[in-house]
Amino acid sequence: MSLIDIQDRIDAAVASAGRPPGSVTLIAVSKIQPSDRVRAVLDAGQRIFGENRVQEAQSRWTELGAGRDDLELHLIGPLQTNKARQAMEMFQAIHSVDRPKLAKTIARIADEIGTCPDLFIQVNTGAEPQKAGVLPDDADGFIRDCRELDLPLKGLMCIPPADADPTPHFQLLAGIAERNGLVGLSMGMSGDFEAAIACGATHVRVGSAIFGARD
Ligand SMILES: *Cc1c(COP(=O)(O)O)cnc(C)c1O
């Protein structure tokens, strides 16, 4: 699959859901991919990329991003509080806000540096013990806490359990967002982005379908 094929599939899914053209943002997930593949996708015009580790993103994009002011980098992996500052300096969006300590740290640094990336709260819709994210029952309270900290909340993010039908998880996330007045929905990956778009995704995170399998 190429970038253009994926963009076409996104456009088709948006149209068949009866949603306005351009209402879904494609985040090309470049984590672990060799630089030549990432450069090819950059050359094809993609400007929004997702990474799951701060360190890896830094070394990759210091080189690839040099001299480009139109790049938009999104952190989609877990964030340790001691890396929050670095992450806030390099990413335009963070999709993995998932606990009070991290929210408070981000708020403190945002006060200090006068700016903050767009934030998504990660919800563990399948309540999987090994997975990050607030539990669905705790989401309303955590959203309220983040708002009290004046954080720029853009929406919610989820990663459905690998072996489950993702649609109920997307619907659960969309319901939590709606009742809390949040518009952003970061959901859908290579195998399920069309289903996510049908459920209202505003941001899809697609890696292997664009770049090929990761080693
Ligand atoms: C790796 C990753 C993706 C992309 O997965 P693909 O199946 O390669 O599209 C999306 N979201 C998160 C959080 C990831 O870690």
Side-chain angles (χ1 to χ4, degrees):
M1 280 272 149
S2 70
L3 178 66
I4 291 179
D5 296 327
I6 298 300
Q7 194 61 66
D8 284 348
R9 283 173 56 189
I10 290 172
D11 292 346
V14 166
S16 71
R19 298 177 52 192
S23 51
V24 174
T25 299
L26 170 61
I27 301 169
V29 177
S30 47
K31 65 177 185 197
I32 318 181
Q33 297 286 353
S35 286
D36 56 334
R37 290 191 191 170
V38 180
R39 196 173 283 113
V41 171
L42 255 177
D43 290 344
Q46 177 68 20
R47 290 295 177 268
I48 307 175
F49 291 88
E51 292 282 349
N52 70 338
R53 303 177 72 108
V54 176
Q55 228 86 69
E56 183 195 342
Q58 234 159 11
S59 52
R60 176 201 298 291
W61 290 103
T62 307
E63 186 205 328
L64 277 181
R68 294 183 190 273
D69 52 15
D70 56 350
L71 264 186
E72 199 179 301
L73 299 180
H74 291 231
L75 180 67
I76 60 172
L79 178 58
Q80 295 170 282
T81 46
N82 64 4
K83 300 237 175 75
R85 182 181 301 268
Q86 275 171 286
M88 292 170 70
E89 284 166 357
M90 83 167 298
F91 291 99
Q92 280 69 47
I94 296 173
H95 292 239
S96 48
V97 180
D98 63 353
R99 57 199 192 278
K101 187 177 173 211
L102 179 60
K104 281 181 201 142
T105 302
I106 291 174
R108 177 171 50 73
I109 297 169
D111 274 348
E112 221 176 287
I113 65 179
T115 170
C116 188
D118 289 336
L119 301 177
F120 292 78
I121 290 174
Q122 183 172 353
V123 181
N124 186 354
T125 56
E128 296 172 278
Q130 82 286 7
K131 210 167 257 177
V134 293
L135 293 172
D137 283 348
D138 298 335
D140 293 352
F142 187 53
I143 292 166
R144 207 175 317 118
D145 293 346
C146 287
R147 285 185 163 142
E148 274 166 20
L149 290 167
D150 264 338
L151 291 176
L153 270 196
K154 177 114 178 176
L156 305 178
M157 180 271 228
C158 76
I159 309 170
D163 49 3
D165 175 4
T167 291
H169 295 270
F170 296 150
Q171 289 169 336
L172 173 61
L173 196 72
I176 297 170
E178 186 174 13
R179 71 172 180 250
N180 284 283
L182 286 168
V183 292
L185 284 172
S186 168
M187 57 190 198
M189 322 200 321
S190 290
D192 57 17
F193 66 86
E194 284 140 325
I197 289 169
C199 296
T202 59
H203 294 68
V204 294
R205 311 177 308 267
V206 181
S208 44
I210 295 174
F211 295 101
R214 286 178 294 273
D215 281 341

